[in-house]
Amino acid sequence: MNWSNNQTYTHIDAIVDLLGGTDVLGSDLEGRDQLLSVSRAGLPNESLQHLLSVLDDSAGQHTATITWLRRKLSYSVDADAKLDVISSEMTLRVATLLVALIGVFEALEPSIDFLLAPHKSLNGLAPARAVFTSDGVEAVNKLVVQGVLGLPA
């Protein structure tokens, strides 16, 4: 996927691309409801692997967070190589957050750095870890809004 400013993607298109595109997901997903339906049915393991490979390529010093994500999200893969519902939802949360961050930072590298780096306002957790709880999702959303508005964290 080309993350430059020269090409505009909808959030759904960008999330689908992070999850491996139509080759992995099996069809064009035109809206949030379709994406959620696929997630509830269990994302293919290849979706998680594709997202993690995007993160791996830019992880830099944040390999511990990538290792944690890989272990946490790959925990429950069934015989059909599908993630369980919880792992699918968490994978979708991480992909959605990354797309939102790309909207803030306008580039993949700083977005991944923000996603994987510990933040004081998240009690030292990386946003990629914090989104695993509802309180964490709220705190991460607040942190992203502060970034959009240029407010101190």
Side-chain angles (χ1 to χ4, degrees):
M1 173 176 228
N2 179 4
W3 293 103
S4 72
N5 291 335
N6 299 332
Q7 196 164 4
T8 303
Y9 291 93
T10 67
H11 286 294
I12 297 299
D13 291 340
I15 293 167
V16 167
D17 282 350
L18 282 172
L19 297 176
T22 56
D23 292 345
V24 172
L25 296 176
S27 65
D28 283 328
L29 302 175
E30 296 179 10
R32 182 178 177 271
D33 290 341
Q34 286 180 319
L35 186 58
L36 290 174
S37 178
V38 168
S39 175
R40 288 183 187 123
L43 290 172
N45 185 44
E46 291 89 3
S47 290
L48 170 62
Q49 298 312 317
H50 190 271
L51 175 61
L52 290 172
S53 73
V54 170
L55 296 176
D56 276 339
D57 289 345
S58 302
Q61 75 266 22
H62 306 299
T63 55
T65 301
I66 293 290
T67 301
W68 182 88
L69 279 172
R70 186 176 304 280
R71 189 175 63 244
K72 184 81 170 172
L73 294 173
S74 298
Y75 181 72
S76 184
V77 177
D78 69 16
D80 294 328
K82 287 192 171 185
L83 301 175
D84 67 9
V85 174
I86 294 171
S87 292
S88 290
E89 180 184 340
M90 295 304 122
T91 299
L92 186 56
R93 280 185 188 182
V94 172
T96 302
L97 176 58
L98 182 54
V99 168
L101 291 170
I102 291 166
V104 172
F105 292 106
E106 299 180 347
L108 183 61
E109 297 289 329
S111 301
I112 289 175
D113 191 49
F114 183 92
L115 179 73
L116 301 177
H119 290 271
K120 185 171 66 171
S121 62
L122 299 173
N123 296 322
L125 289 178
R129 287 188 185 206
V131 296
F132 280 77
T133 67
S134 56
D135 289 344
V137 169
E138 189 175 317
V140 169
N141 286 338
K142 182 179 176 183
L143 196 59
V144 171
V145 168
Q146 288 173 330
V148 168
L149 299 176
L151 302 173

